[in-house]
Amino acid sequence: MTTVAPAFAGRRSFALPQNSSRIRSGNPGMGSTVVTKLPSFADARRLVEEYASTLSPTQPEMLPMLDAAGLVLAEDLRADRDFPPFPRSTRDGFAVRSADVAVVPSRLRCVGEIRAGAPIEDSAITVRAGEAAEIMTGAPVPEGADAVVMVEHAERSGDAVVVQRTVAAGENVVAMGAEARRGATLVARGTRVNHTIVAIAAAIGRPEIAVYRRPRVAVLATGDELVDINLQPSANEIRNSNSYSLAAQVQAVGGDPMLLPVARDEPDDLALLLRKGLETDLLLITGGVSMGKYDLVEQVLASFQAGIFFTGAQIQPGRPVVFGEVKSGERSTPFFGLPGNPVSTMVTFQLFARPVLDSLSGAKPQPLPFAQATLKSDFTSRTGLTRFLPAKLEGGNVKPLVELVHWQGSGDLMAVSRANCYIVVPPDQERFSAGEAITILMP
Ligand code: AMP
Ligand code: MG
C-alpha cells in the first residue's frame, strides 16, 4: 500500500495524510521522520487533485473578451435573445411550402426576394400555395414557407421558378430559438475562454466578460551554478532556463508568472526569496530538493512550518518532487519543489502543479492528456517507477507511431526539444516491443 490516503472535506481540513511524511531522512534539518515508501504516481496525482479541489479561485474581474481568452469564466453566459432570432435559411435558394414540391418538377410563382440583413419590411412576404420567394443564406424564411430548395435544384425564368427536387418540411431552415432560447445558459462559469467562447460573448453582445484574475505564480530557481540569461556564464556555470520554461508553462494555462532572482544554495538567501514567493497564489521552486549536501529547500521550508504532503514520488524524471503549503494567518500558499533537471521541472509541472493552477484559475483540474500509440521500436526499462520518457510521435491520428528520443537523462533539455510527447512507462513492465500499444502523454 502507498503512503497517501487523504479524504479532505474542505479547504481548512486539508492536512498531512496520517502515514505520509518526510521521506528522506538524509536532508539536514529535516528531522528524523522516515517513511519507507514514496507515493506512486497515481497516488501523488490524486493527492494533488484532492488538494486542488479544496482551493478557492482568485477574485473575478471584468475584462474585454479578447483579454479574457485563456482565462476562466466567473459568470454564466446567457442568451440575450433566441438563437437564431428568426427562422434562418441555411441555403441560397427558394423558400417554398414543402407540400408544393412533393411532386417534381413543380412550377411556382416567385413573389419576392429576401436578402440576409434586408430590412424586416422587405421580408414581410407571405408565401401562399403555389408560390416561392428567392432567399439567401442567413435570411429569415418568410411566413407560409416551411422549407428552402437549394438554388442548385431550381431554375428561375422570369416570375416563375421550376423546382427539380423535393424538400421535407423544415429542410434547410433552422427554426427560431432552435439553437438556444433567450435566457438559456450557453456557457457555464468555470469554462476556460477559448475562441468559441469569445464568439458566444460576441454573439450575445458582451464585449466584456467576468473571468477569474490570473493567479500570481512565483517562480524561484535555486542553485549556485545558475546565472541569469543576460549574463555570460563562466566555465563552471550554466544559464537558468527553468525559470523561463516554467513561466511559459504558467502563462499557457492562464497564470501570471513572477520570476524571482535566482537563490543561492544558502539558507538565508533561500529564506528571503521563499518568503517573497509565498506572498503569491502559488510558489514554484526549482532545484535544491534532491539529496545533495546543498539541497536546502526543504530545510528552509521546514523552518517556515510548512505542511509537506509528499516529498518524492515513484516517478522518473522528477522523483524528488515536493508538494506542500505554508500557512500564515488566514492565508495558505501551496508550493511545489520541482527537481532542477530541466526535463524533470517541465514534467513535474505538468503532472502536479497544473491541477493546482487550474483550480486557482477557477477551472476544474483537467485530466492529463494521455493517448495511445503504437510503439515503433523495442526498448527495455527498469521496473519500479512510472517513467515519462521524451518521445517522438508521428503518423498523425490515423496511425500514430511513437519511439523514444535518444537522451542523456533528465538534464538533457536538447533531447526534449526533439520530442513532442512522453512515452508513459508503467512501473511493472520491463520489455516493450515494436508494434505494441503504449500510453503517451501529450505536452
Ligand atoms: P538540483 O535539482 O538542484 O540538484 O539540480 C539538478 C540539475 O539541474 C543540476 O545539473 C542543475 O545544474 C540543473 N539545474 C538546476 N536548476 C536549473 C535551472 N534553473 N536551469 C537549468 N538547469 C538547472
Ligand atoms: Mg541545485
Side-chain angles (χ1 to χ4, degrees):
M1 258 306 287
T2 54
T3 54
V4 283
F8 311 108
R11 184 72 200 88
R12 296 271 162 260
S13 68
F14 192 93
L16 190 63
Q18 274 292 294
N19 54 353
S20 108
S21 189
R22 287 92 205 214
I23 287 101
R24 291 180 299 283
S25 58
N27 276 6
M30 281 304 294
S32 57
T33 333
V34 181
V35 170
T36 46
K37 207 157 187 300
L38 302 183
S40 67
F41 163 63
D43 284 332
R45 169 80 189 187
R46 194 173 316 119
L47 190 142
V48 169
E49 283 177 0
E50 286 176 12
Y51 175 87
S53 71
T54 67
L55 292 171
S56 309
T58 55
Q59 287 302 307
E61 60 181 342
M62 291 300 284
L63 285 184
M65 57 160 101
L66 286 181
D67 296 342
L71 304 186
V72 178
L73 271 181
E75 61 168 331
D76 292 342
L77 294 183
R78 292 178 196 283
D80 66 323
R81 61 203 300 221
D82 281 352
F83 283 83
F86 48 79
R88 182 180 68 219
S89 175
T90 62
R91 303 287 185 192
D92 296 316
F94 294 88
V96 298
R97 300 163 79 101
S98 54
D100 281 352
V101 296
V103 178
V104 288
S106 165
R107 191 182 175 86
L108 304 171
R109 197 163 67 84
C110 210
V111 293
E113 179 192 281
I114 308 160
R115 299 169 56 163
I120 204 73
E121 310 84 71
D122 293 8
S123 52
I125 298 170
T126 302
V127 173
R128 295 176 210 285
E131 293 179 351
E134 194 163 5
I135 193 164
M136 312 302 149
T137 301
V141 173
E143 275 288 314
D146 65 358
V148 171
V149 175
M150 286 166 67
V151 68
E152 293 88 333
H153 303 150
E155 279 152 33
R156 176 138 190 199
S157 64
D159 266 2
V161 57
V162 179
V163 174
Q164 302 290 1
R165 284 211 202 171
T166 62
V167 281
E171 208 170 319
N172 301 325
V173 181
V174 181
M176 177 171 165
E179 291 162 352
R181 284 281 173 207
R182 180 188 171 153
T185 297
L186 302 177
V187 189
R189 186 164 63 93
T191 308
R192 210 174 271 283
V193 178
N194 60 14
H195 61 278
T196 309
I197 314 294
V198 164
I200 298 272
I204 63 170
R206 291 290 309 276
E208 293 204 332
I209 52 180
V211 287
Y212 295 106
R213 175 179 62 73
R214 286 177 191 277
R216 294 269 286 159
V217 181
V219 177
L220 177 61
T222 73
D224 286 344
E225 74 280 31
L226 302 179
V227 295
D228 204 15
I229 53 170
N230 49 17
L231 298 175
Q232 187 59 38
S234 55
N236 58 333
E237 292 174 328
I238 59 166
R239 294 190 180 91
N240 165 22
S241 60
N242 289 346
S243 290
Y244 298 93
S245 63
L246 280 175
Q249 285 181 291
V250 165
Q251 255 172 4
V253 290
D256 178 14
M258 178 181 100
L259 269 58
L260 291 164
V262 171
R264 302 291 118 210
D265 290 320
E266 186 273 310
D268 291 342
D269 196 36
L270 265 173
L272 191 84
L273 290 164
L274 285 171
R275 281 219 183 282
K276 190 111 201 82
L278 288 165
E279 288 165 12
T280 60
D281 298 310
L282 170 66
L283 167 61
L284 302 177
I285 308 144
T286 82
V289 290
S290 302
M291 293 290 286
K293 195 169 162 190
Y294 299 103
D295 289 328
L296 305 174
V297 166
E298 283 175 84
Q299 177 192 330
V300 175
L301 285 167
S303 75
F304 295 173
Q305 267 72 53
I308 306 274
F309 305 132
F310 57 74
T311 80
Q314 296 181 48
I315 57 166
Q316 199 242 338
R319 192 170 192 265
V321 61
V322 178
F323 171 41
E325 71 173 358
V326 173
K327 285 200 164 83
S328 141
E330 276 301 281
R331 177 194 182 88
S332 40
T333 306
F335 63 80
F336 287 91
L338 308 177
N341 272 311
V343 186
S344 311
T345 303
M346 293 173 186
V347 170
T348 49
F349 174 89
Q350 187 182 5
L351 298 181
F352 301 120
R354 167 89 203 254
V356 170
L357 196 46
D358 277 338
S359 279
L360 290 168
S361 310
K364 270 217 187 81
Q366 291 299 296
L368 283 163
F370 291 121
Q372 291 281 308
T374 304
L375 195 56
K376 207 172 155 189
S377 32
D378 302 351
F379 72 93
T380 55
S381 169
R382 262 174 300 129
T383 55
L385 301 175
T386 304
R387 296 194 154 80
F388 299 88
L389 304 179
K392 180 97 186 184
L393 177 68
E394 56 184 43
N397 288 339
V398 183
K399 199 171 187 302
L401 282 176
V402 69
E403 73 180 331
L404 291 175
V405 160
H406 182 70
W407 76 330
Q408 304 295 331
S410 54
D412 191 350
L413 175 60
M414 313 310 152
V416 84
S417 76
R418 294 191 299 271
N420 56 7
C421 68
Y422 300 98
I423 283 180
V424 183
V425 181
D428 52 1
Q429 192 179 336
E430 218 171 347
R431 292 181 182 287
F432 297 84
S433 314
E436 77 179 87
I438 198 156
T439 303
I440 57 172
L441 175 69
M442 300 309 290

